[in-house]
């Protein structure tokens, strides 16, 4: 039985005690004399109650999944789902790169980082980087010892399997304010579900092409930052995570040199829908305990922006993949934390920029700074990694 | 003796009813190895064990939400009993011969009507997970958190509650469609 739209609105109003006395009497009267109406109402009540229970089940399962992960952390290797093989392999390539950096020239580049930071009158940041990377080197080394080469000699694949659950576990907690968004590489989108396409179309958008690009940070209702070399200012995208969550975003600012776009995930027109994810305006707590800063920004408030390199490292990876496909991919440390973007590549060489500082000039808020770095966070509790597809929309 | 086996009767029921994190963690820690061992011995995997454990906890939660319900056994025994029963039903459904089933002593009987309702709710839950945004938010906020359409419209920056109502109607029907697929 399908409840009509008019009746559903009426039923909801009645059940929420929103009807006036006369409307309520009329409603009750109709229930008595109209058996179809009564049946429809009872059916809707039953469906509503079951839906409530289904959501309760979902909430409870999420709680239990969290308990399971804490109580029985995964020890075995997991098979990758095909859609994530490329994404996880990319992460693995970069992680291997980080290991190599740690073992070779990391010390010197680490010194350089501190030096650059000090010169920039940002001693606090410099101190953090120095302290954390030293600790990280020890832990990275410990992790590296646990890597067992696979039969075909590909440490990358072996490592990616180990990383899968740690790095790519979807945060399904609705009200969590902070996320790191990581998009697929282009090839990983081959298996895009058809129902997603339908969903996109339902919002009056035609899918232009299947294309997932680069990495980025999803920051709730505010902005999504991604490497989007071919995007146009004002272009709209659907952002989708692996649980089919769908958001709409529009390019509001482009950093041409870095080929990075800032997308606003708020509602921007009648054909897009706003982000459902709440987050707090933390404008007064910049850099306090967190290295990623999430202001609530309306697209028309962004006046200008620039992104600057704070630290850099060059990592050479013996990648068997076509390295050009890695441009814009996320780079992780051994804890599954996002440490930067791959911004350039040559054959078998990848240049990694671990930390960027983005400055946005926001109307009425002045200059806001975002430090893109997560090395100082040991846990990804606050920064759940989510893989996002970025789907261009033809409006 | 573990905390769970000590925590029986009213206290355990109340803690379960409240979905108390510490209690659930202690309880989960105790029952999961038992359920996993049982399921693996009987043609299942660890993944099956996790699913069944979650289902068993949920059914236990629903039981204790009934004010007339009285817990007559240890909480852990109760949950493991439900899990065994659920797994037995799944094996039967898959056509795995009952003779292969290594019967153990404790089962918590579940009425067929309860299982049928639970099956429907699970289908709806799967559909809810697949629903996508903004529908997930709209449906959850309205049917679970009992928010008004105006509040939801504000939350999602819709221009008015009517737009939110239209969207909710579409979402509701989409959810039902996914659930019946």
């Amino acid at each position: 039985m399908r409840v009509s739209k008019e009746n559903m609105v009426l039923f909801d109003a009645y059940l929420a005690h929103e009807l006036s006395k006369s409307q309520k009497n009329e409603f009750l009267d109709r229930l008595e004399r109209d058996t179809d109406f009564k049946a429809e109402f009872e059916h809707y009540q039953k469906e509503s109650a079951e839906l409530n229970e289904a959501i309760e089940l979902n909430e409870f399962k999420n709680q239990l999944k969290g308990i399971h992960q804490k109580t029985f952390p995964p020890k075995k290797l997991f098979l990758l789902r095909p859609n994530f093989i490329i994404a996880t392999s990319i992460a693995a390539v970069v992680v291997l790169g980080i290991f190599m950096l740690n073992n070779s020239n990391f010390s010197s580049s680490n010194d350089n980082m501190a030096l650059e930071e000090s010169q920039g009158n940002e001693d606090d940041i410099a101190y953090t980087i120095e302290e954390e990377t030293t600790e990280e080197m020890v832990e990275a080394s410990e992790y590296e010892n646990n890597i067992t080469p696979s039969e075909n000699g590909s440490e990358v694949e072996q490592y990616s399997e180990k990383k899968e659950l740690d790095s790519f576990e979807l945060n399904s907690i609705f009200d969590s304010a902070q996320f790191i968004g990581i998009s697929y590489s282009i090839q990983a989108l081959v298996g895009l579900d058809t129902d997603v396409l339908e969903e996109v179309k339902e919002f009056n958008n035609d899918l232009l092409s299947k294309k997932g690009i680069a990495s980025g940070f999803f920051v709730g209702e505010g902005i999504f930052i991604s490497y989007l070399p071919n995007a146009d200012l004002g272009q709209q995208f659907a952002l989708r995570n692996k649980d089919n969550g769908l958001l709409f975003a529009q390019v509001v600012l482009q950093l041409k040199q870095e080929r990075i776009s800032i997308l606003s995930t708020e509602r921007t027109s009648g054909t897009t829908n706003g982000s459902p994810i709440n987050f707090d305006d933390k404008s007064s707590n910049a850099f306090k305990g967190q290295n990623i800063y999430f202001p609530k920004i309306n697209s028309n408030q962004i006046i200008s922006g620039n992104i600057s390199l704070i630290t850099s490292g060059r990592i050479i990876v013996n990648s068997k993949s076509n390295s050009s496909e890695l441009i814009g991919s996320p780079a992780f440390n051994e804890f599954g934390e996002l440490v930067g973007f791959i911004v350039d590549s040559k054959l078998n060489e990848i240049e990694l920029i671990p930390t960027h500082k983005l400055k946005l000039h926001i109307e009425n808020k002045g200059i806001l700074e975002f430090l893109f770095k997560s090395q100082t966070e040991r846990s990804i509790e606050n920064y759940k990694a989510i893989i996002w597809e970025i789907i261009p929309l033809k409006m | 003796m573990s905390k769970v086996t000590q925590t029986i009767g009213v206290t355990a029921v109340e803690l379960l009813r409240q979905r108390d994190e510490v209690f659930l963690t202690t309880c989960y820690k105790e029952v999961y190895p038992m359920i996993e061992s049982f399921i693996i011995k009987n043609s299942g995997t660890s993944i099956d064990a996790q699913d069944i454990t979650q289902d068993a906890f949920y059914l236990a939660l629903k039981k204790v939400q009934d004010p007339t319900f009285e817990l007559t056994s240890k909480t852990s025994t109760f949950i493991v009993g439900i899990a065994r029963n659920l797994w037995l039903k799944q094996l039967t459904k898959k056509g795995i011969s009952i003779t292969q089933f290594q019967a153990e002593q404790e089962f918590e009987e579940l009425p067929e009507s309860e299982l049928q309702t639970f099956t429907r709710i699970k289908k709806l839950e799967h559909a809810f997970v697949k629903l996508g945004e903004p529908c997930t938010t709209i449906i959850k906020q309205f049917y679970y958190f009992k928010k008004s359409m105006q509040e939801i419209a504000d939350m999602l920056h819709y221009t008015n509650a009517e737009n939110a109502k239209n969207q909710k109607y579409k979402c509701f029907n989409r959810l039902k469609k996914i659930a019946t697929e």
Side-chain angles (χ1 to χ4, degrees), chain A residues 330-365:
Chain A
F332 296 93
N333 65 14
E334 67 277 27
F335 304 103
E337 298 163 349
L338 189 65
V339 294
F341 305 154
I342 300 169
V343 295
D344 197 6
S345 72
K346 296 174 186 173
L347 192 61
N348 292 332
E349 290 186 4
I350 296 170
E351 187 172 332
L352 175 71
I353 297 181
T355 308
H356 272 101
K357 181 185 277 186
L358 171 68
K359 285 186 180 179
L360 290 181
H361 185 190
I362 310 295
E363 190 179 36
N364 300 327
K365 294 195 179 198

Side-chain angles (χ1 to χ4, degrees), chain A residues 2-3 5 12 44 47 50-53 56 58-59 63 68 199 202 221 244 246 267 276, chain B residues 19 21 28 62 65 120-121 125 131-133 137 140 143 157 166 168-169 173-176:
Chain A
R2 186 174 173 129
V3 178
K5 186 179 157 191
D12 285 340
Y44 180 64
E47 281 186 330
E50 288 188 346
L51 185 49
N52 185 293
E53 288 205 32
E56 184 187 30
N58 181 258
E59 290 273 299
Q63 185 180 5
H68 184 90
E199 187 158 14
E202 273 197 45
E221 198 179 4
N244 300 331
L246 195 64
R267 180 189 170 103
Chain B
R19 290 169 47 180
E21 182 83 10
Y28 194 97
K62 297 316 288 179
Q65 283 175 346
R120 279 201 310 276
I121 288 166
E125 194 264 339
L131 194 56
E133 295 295 355
T137 300
K140 190 173 186 175
Y143 291 100
H157 307 296
N166 288 337
K168 195 205 85 176
Y169 181 71
N173 286 322
R174 189 188 303 163
L175 178 80
K176 283 171 61 178

Side-chain angles (χ1 to χ4, degrees), chain A residues 222-241:
Chain A
I223 57 174
F224 186 104
I225 301 168
S226 181
Y227 177 91
L228 284 169
N230 300 317
D232 297 317
L233 198 62
Q235 187 174 353
Q236 297 197 340
F237 291 83
L239 310 177
R240 175 186 176 257
N241 68 34

Side-chain angles (χ1 to χ4, degrees), chain B residues 10 18-19 28 42 45 52 55 63 71 80 87 105 108 123 132 145 148 153 159 161:
Chain B
V10 175
Q18 292 168 5
R19 290 169 47 180
Y28 194 97
N42 292 284
T45 65
I52 291 288
D55 290 350
K63 286 272 188 190
L71 184 62
V80 171
W87 186 240
Q105 57 275 47
E108 190 65 33
K123 277 185 183 171
F145 291 117
S148 72
T159 47

Side-chain angles (χ1 to χ4, degrees), chain A residues 83-239:
Chain A
N83 277 0
F84 299 109
I85 288 174
I86 292 177
T88 49
S89 296
I90 288 168
V93 167
V94 177
V95 169
L96 278 179
I98 291 170
F99 292 153
M100 294 176 68
L101 185 70
N102 284 338
N103 289 338
S104 57
N105 60 352
F106 195 78
S107 301
S108 59
S109 67
N110 190 34
D111 292 339
N112 292 339
M113 288 178 201
L115 181 62
E116 282 180 40
E117 290 298 325
S118 300
Q119 287 169 341
N121 292 325
E122 294 175 43
D123 294 339
D124 52 340
I125 298 172
Y127 171 77
T128 306
I129 291 170
E130 192 169 40
E131 179 184 62
E132 294 296 333
T133 47
T134 305
E135 187 182 336
E136 193 171 276
M137 283 171 67
V138 176
E139 295 189 36
S141 171
E142 286 171 0
Y143 198 99
E144 191 176 23
N145 292 335
N146 293 330
I147 296 178
T148 310
S150 58
E151 286 181 7
N152 63 7
S154 168
E155 292 185 5
V156 171
E157 286 177 19
Q158 187 78 2
Y159 191 88
S160 69
E161 288 183 7
K162 283 186 178 180
K163 292 301 294 179
E164 208 246 339
L165 280 189
D166 292 335
S167 300
F168 298 107
E169 190 61 32
L170 178 73
N171 177 10
S172 57
I173 300 169
F174 162 74
D175 58 0
S176 179
Q178 298 168 348
F179 299 92
I180 292 174
I182 305 153
S183 72
Y184 288 107
S185 74
I186 293 168
Q187 289 186 350
L189 281 177
V190 172
L192 189 67
D193 297 337
T194 51
D195 61 333
V196 177
L197 308 189
E198 285 172 14
E199 187 158 14
V200 171
K201 282 174 186 168
E202 273 197 45
F203 289 94
N204 303 317
N205 296 298
D206 293 321
L207 194 68
L208 188 63
S209 65
K210 286 188 275 184
K211 195 175 183 184
I213 313 165
S215 60
F217 300 82
F218 173 64
V219 288
E221 198 179 4
I223 57 174
F224 186 104
I225 301 168
S226 181
Y227 177 91
L228 284 169
N230 300 317
D232 297 317
L233 198 62
Q235 187 174 353
Q236 297 197 340
F237 291 83
L239 310 177

Side-chain angles (χ1 to χ4, degrees), chain B:
Chain B
M1 186 180 285
S2 74
K3 285 180 185 173
V4 173
T5 50
Q6 287 172 345
T7 314
I8 58 171
V10 175
T11 308
V13 165
E14 193 51 41
L15 291 170
L16 179 56
R17 197 179 284 146
Q18 292 168 5
R19 290 169 47 180
D20 180 87
E21 182 83 10
V22 176
F23 173 76
L24 288 176
T25 303
T26 314
C27 194
Y28 194 97
K29 209 170 183 175
E30 181 171 345
V31 302
Y32 179 73
M34 289 192 267
I35 295 171
E36 186 187 40
S37 162
F38 175 78
I39 286 177
I40 287 175
K41 275 183 200 167
N42 292 284
S43 315
T45 65
S46 291
I47 303 293
D48 294 326
Q50 286 174 41
D51 288 342
I52 291 288
T53 306
Q54 287 166 14
D55 290 350
F57 265 90
Y58 180 74
L59 285 169
L61 174 70
K62 297 316 288 179
K63 286 272 188 190
V64 301
Q65 283 175 346
D66 177 357
T68 63
F69 175 76
E70 282 183 33
L71 184 62
T72 54
S73 61
K74 291 186 291 187
T75 316
S76 54
T77 308
F78 178 57
I79 292 170
V80 171
I82 294 175
R84 285 175 175 158
N85 194 316
L86 285 174
W87 186 240
L88 174 62
K89 301 273 182 198
Q90 275 206 21
L91 287 184
T92 309
K93 204 174 170 184
K94 286 176 184 171
I96 296 176
S97 167
I98 199 85
T99 55
Q100 289 177 253
F101 194 83
Q102 297 176 8
E104 296 187 23
Q105 57 275 47
E106 287 155 346
F107 284 84
E108 190 65 33
E109 279 304 321
L110 296 169
E112 197 56 37
S113 61
E114 272 184 35
L115 283 173
Q116 282 175 4
T117 305
F118 182 58
T119 304
R120 279 201 310 276
I121 288 166
K122 273 189 85 171
K123 277 185 183 171
L124 272 178
E125 194 264 339
H126 286 311
F128 176 74
V129 170
K130 286 184 180 173
L131 194 56
E133 295 295 355
C135 288
T136 310
T137 300
I138 294 171
I139 294 289
K140 190 173 186 175
Q141 292 297 320
F142 185 82
Y143 291 100
Y144 189 66
F145 291 117
K146 311 295 180 196
K147 298 276 187 195
S148 72
M149 291 315 297
Q150 186 57 55
E151 286 173 306
I152 294 170
D154 292 341
M155 186 185 297
L156 298 183
H157 307 296
Y158 289 118
T159 47
N160 55 52
E162 284 308 307
N163 288 346
K165 285 177 190 173
N166 288 337
Q167 190 63 58
K168 195 205 85 176
Y169 181 71
K170 281 186 193 174
C171 293
F172 187 87
N173 286 322
R174 189 188 303 163
L175 178 80
K176 283 171 61 178
K177 188 181 164 197
I178 297 171
T180 52
E181 280 171 359

Side-chain angles (χ1 to χ4, degrees), chain A residues 219-276:
Chain A
V219 288
E221 198 179 4
I223 57 174
F224 186 104
I225 301 168
S226 181
Y227 177 91
L228 284 169
N230 300 317
D232 297 317
L233 198 62
Q235 187 174 353
Q236 297 197 340
F237 291 83
L239 310 177
R240 175 186 176 257
N241 68 34
K242 71 177 182 181
D243 254 14
N244 300 331
L246 195 64
L247 297 163
F248 292 88
Q250 184 174 29
V251 177
V252 293
L253 181 71
Q254 287 184 299
L255 307 169
K256 288 287 184 187
Q257 193 177 346
E258 291 79 18
R259 294 167 288 182
I260 286 170
S261 291
I262 315 294
L263 291 87
S264 167
T265 56
E266 65 184 340
R267 180 189 170 103
T268 53
S269 78
T271 54
T272 60
N273 288 270
S275 160

